[in-house]
Amino acid sequence: MLNFTVGPVMTSDSVREIGAEQVPYFRTPEFSKIMFENEELIKKFAKAEQNARVCFLTGSGTSSMEAAVINIFTNQDKVLVVDGGSFGHRFVEMLEIYDIPYTVIKPEFGHGVTQEQLSQYDGCGYTGFLINLDEASIGVLYDIKLISDFCKKNDIFLVVDSISSFLCDPFSMAELDVQVMIVGSQKALACPPGVSLLVLSEKAVKKVYDNNPKTMYLDLKLALKNGERGQTPFTPAVGILLQINQRAKEIDAAGGVDMEIARIRSLAGYFRKQMKENNLPFHIISESLSNAVTPLTPTNGKSAYDYFTLLKDQYGIWICPNGGELRDKVFRVGHIGALEESDFDCLVDAFIDVEKKQLL
């Protein structure tokens, strides 16, 4: 099986071997040491300030999205939120649930946020900004420098979901003045799903301690306090945290975050070049691409979902389907995880075979 989805992704042998081991007891100095290492490596990869903290939640990326919303903002805030796809809309739904005042910024389909869209909110008293940096549902990477400059100018608290862009696209929490960065275990970290992480700036840590959300499991004060001793407040996904430790050390030993980004960028460029040279019947829908994923729509009138099903059932290859109104219009090819150029050769050959045999 070859997996070109955007999570879970192909995993290295060394990370999978840890998943086969007996899960150890975790309230020990040995596990605390691993968690301290995890925190330092994630901060290093995020290029966060030295006093930043990392909270590890056992839950999908959505759990950390929700934790960020309720620990950082209240109904006294006024939040701008980018709703450019299914993941951006998820932030909108959370703000609605918790009665936090918000205004939606709606980019044109396949495009990023523009200066013109932002400038109309200058000096309007907004206190927060929520964005999914890579709106992976349609493969659009937003201009985080543009958004950061706007937030700095207006003294707005910037929260970035970087679940699909972390380790794929250049990013510096400190330089961009990002206060909260959200990461998931199953994307470019290439571990099983089940753990999500929030990297908090010193300013964000203070805001967490000043806020009192009506929740127990998602109260980040508990995560921060327990993190001081290298622990979590509740039983975590111990095995996945051990796998994250292995994977993070592999990335660090191979040259760090910049080398990992360069590797993924190279794979994305290789696939896109092969697709063009072989005249595959697909069009890239995004005008602002992430290295993580290539979003494609068939130009031959065929169903995008039918391509997903055919490759899965007849070729042992998974590409990433879409749901809802995009089900038959868009599929995505991921470039993250333990993939090589030869794997993309297999994918391109499969696409060519489908067209040659007219299987759709």
Side-chain angles (χ1 to χ4, degrees), residues 6 62 65 81-94 106-107 109 131-132 134-140 142 161 164 187 320-326 332:
V6 289
T62 301
M65 290 171 65
V81 55
V82 178
D83 184 358
S86 60
F87 296 108
H89 191 68
R90 197 166 296 177
F91 267 141
V92 174
E93 292 175 310
M94 292 173 184
K106 191 84 172 177
F109 182 82
I131 187 165
N132 311 81
D134 173 12
E135 179 49 76
S137 65
I138 54 171
V140 172
Y142 295 116
D161 160 14
S164 293
K187 302 291 186 176
C320 202
N322 268 51
E325 63 181 20
L326 295 179
R332 295 158 290 159

Side-chain angles (χ1 to χ4, degrees), residues 24-220:
Y25 182 64
F26 63 99
R27 299 297 192 197
T28 64
E30 291 80 9
F31 186 74
S32 291
K33 178 177 180 293
I34 286 170
M35 291 300 290
F36 285 133
E37 289 177 350
N38 284 348
E39 181 169 35
E40 289 306 309
L41 286 167
I42 294 298
K43 284 168 54 176
K44 182 178 180 180
F45 298 161
K47 298 185 179 180
E49 61 191 52
Q50 184 56 42
N51 291 332
R53 295 287 308 280
V54 182
C55 296
F56 297 86
L57 299 184
T58 295
S60 70
T62 301
S63 67
S64 280
M65 290 171 65
E66 187 164 3
V69 168
I70 63 177
N71 282 270
I72 298 299
F73 301 119
T74 71
N75 57 15
Q76 300 302 306
D77 282 289
K78 187 178 175 184
V79 178
L80 285 166
V81 55
V82 178
D83 184 358
S86 60
F87 296 108
H89 191 68
R90 197 166 296 177
F91 267 141
V92 174
E93 292 175 310
M94 292 173 184
L95 292 167
E96 192 75 35
I97 289 169
Y98 293 104
D99 295 320
I100 298 170
Y102 68 92
T103 298
V104 166
I105 297 175
K106 191 84 172 177
E108 181 183 350
F109 182 82
H111 294 258
V113 176
T114 66
Q115 179 67 60
E116 291 72 26
Q117 286 177 307
L118 294 176
S119 61
Q120 63 182 302
Y121 301 109
D122 277 327
C124 294
Y126 285 93
T127 58
F129 199 111
L130 283 169
I131 187 165
N132 311 81
L133 182 51
D134 173 12
E135 179 49 76
S137 65
I138 54 171
V140 172
L141 181 72
Y142 295 116
D143 186 342
I144 190 60
K145 177 67 165 55
L146 178 70
I147 292 164
S148 169
D149 289 345
F150 167 78
C151 289
K152 289 177 183 177
K153 177 182 177 183
N154 289 277
D155 192 27
I156 293 174
F157 205 92
L158 179 55
V159 176
V160 175
D161 160 14
S162 190
I163 292 171
S164 293
S165 58
F166 181 61
L167 298 173
C168 302
D169 303 293
F171 188 88
S172 170
M173 274 192 73
E175 289 183 10
L176 294 165
D177 199 29
V178 172
Q179 306 304 327
V180 179
M181 176 185 181
I182 303 168
V183 178
S185 59
Q186 79 278 20
K187 302 291 186 176
L189 270 174
C191 292
V195 170
S196 59
L197 305 78
L198 299 101
V199 187
L200 308 177
S201 70
E202 190 172 13
K203 185 176 177 181
V205 170
K206 183 179 185 305
K207 197 152 190 173
V208 167
Y209 277 112
D210 289 343
N211 199 359
N212 290 296
K214 290 187 177 181
T215 181
M216 175 183 286
Y217 193 74
L218 297 181
D219 189 340
L220 295 182

